[in-house]
Amino acid sequence: IIAFPVYSWSAPASVKRYVRSLELTEGTLVSVLAVRSESADENREGGYAGQSLQEIERMLRKKKADVFLTYDIGFTDNWAQFIKPPPEEERNLITAKGLRNLNSYGELLFSQKRKLYRISTFNTIWTKLLAVLFLLVGRRVLGKLYTADDQCNGCKICEKACPVGTIYMSKLIKKPRWKSNCECCNRCINVCP
């Protein structure tokens, strides 16, 4: 199972690097799971996985993998720089909806039922274009825009938690700084006490 959060209708750069590094035996069964944002409204989906699932599927097929299931599931959006978390009641509804979809995914996975996520050519093109722009520019700019506020105590938890080592502690101001290789995973924000 290759699972990842959707960033700007794409898999994170670190996930793409991981998939490229995989050595698979021809015919290896693989499932791909994308996690995107969701709406609390039972009658509508929230976010959009875009071309992310098809992109990873193509990469795996080049390695002769047998990709039998691609699936997206929604949970609460965590893009904390731009979107305030919804109220607890709404988060609970979103989580319940996501867990129901996770159960559906599990049933398909364990039965090895073939089901592939597909979007139109038009949607593939525009989501790929925006994903490339985010990969090349957006994530780097957003990473450089992060700043620690006055509540930062210099504990270095964010520095230790960063999966790509982009955070370092400034000796001058004793607060974290971000380099331009930020993945925008928000782990630093989510682990900050």
Side-chain angles (χ1 to χ4, degrees):
I1 300 170
I2 306 290
F4 59 86
V6 175
Y7 292 176
S8 188
W9 304 289
S10 184
S14 57
V15 171
K16 292 178 198 178
R17 282 191 303 273
Y18 172 74
V19 170
R20 282 188 204 101
S21 74
L22 285 175
E23 293 182 21
L24 300 174
T25 305
E26 185 172 341
T28 300
L29 285 176
V30 180
S31 173
V32 184
L33 175 65
V35 179
R36 55 162 172 78
S37 65
E38 184 59 272
S39 164
D41 185 343
E42 283 294 328
N43 299 316
R44 105 181 157 78
E45 281 191 4
Y48 182 50
Q51 55 84 48
S52 64
L53 287 160
Q54 290 171 218
E55 175 183 41
I56 297 299
E57 178 188 345
R58 278 190 305 274
M59 293 172 71
L60 290 162
R61 288 196 188 280
K62 284 182 183 177
K63 294 179 168 290
K64 308 291 187 208
D66 180 4
V67 181
F68 71 98
L69 176 61
T70 56
Y71 203 85
D72 71 315
I73 298 175
F75 283 101
T76 304
D77 196 325
N78 77 337
W79 208 14
Q81 312 89 306
F82 297 104
I83 300 170
K84 289 185 107 177
E88 184 176 1
E89 183 179 324
E90 190 174 333
R91 287 194 312 264
N92 291 339
L93 290 171
I94 292 169
T95 299
K97 190 175 176 182
L99 291 174
R100 283 191 304 276
N101 285 324
L102 186 58
N103 284 334
S104 298
Y105 169 74
E107 289 171 10
L108 292 168
L109 179 68
F110 291 115
S111 69
Q112 294 184 0
K113 183 172 181 183
R114 292 188 177 277
K115 182 176 180 181
L116 300 174
Y117 174 97
R118 293 290 182 255
I119 62 173
S120 70
T121 302
F122 174 75
N123 286 339
T124 299
I125 292 169
W126 77 260
T127 59
K128 179 70 172 178
L129 176 64
L130 291 177
V132 167
L133 289 172
F134 178 77
L135 179 69
L136 297 176
V137 180
R139 70 186 175 103
R140 297 173 192 284
V141 170
L142 288 173
K144 291 302 284 180
L145 293 176
Y146 284 140
T147 58
D149 64 18
D150 292 337
Q151 295 179 37
C152 177
N153 64 9
C155 68
K156 299 184 181 182
I157 291 174
C158 57
E159 180 182 36
K160 293 172 188 162
C162 181
V164 292
T166 195
I167 301 173
Y168 65 96
M169 295 304 286
S170 167
K171 291 178 181 151
L172 180 64
I173 62 170
K174 310 251 189 287
K175 291 186 181 182
R177 292 285 188 218
W178 286 256
K179 297 183 246 174
S180 64
N181 65 329
C182 182
E183 297 267 335
C184 283
C185 69
N186 293 322
R187 186 179 290 177
C188 53
I189 292 170
N190 290 312
V191 300
C192 180

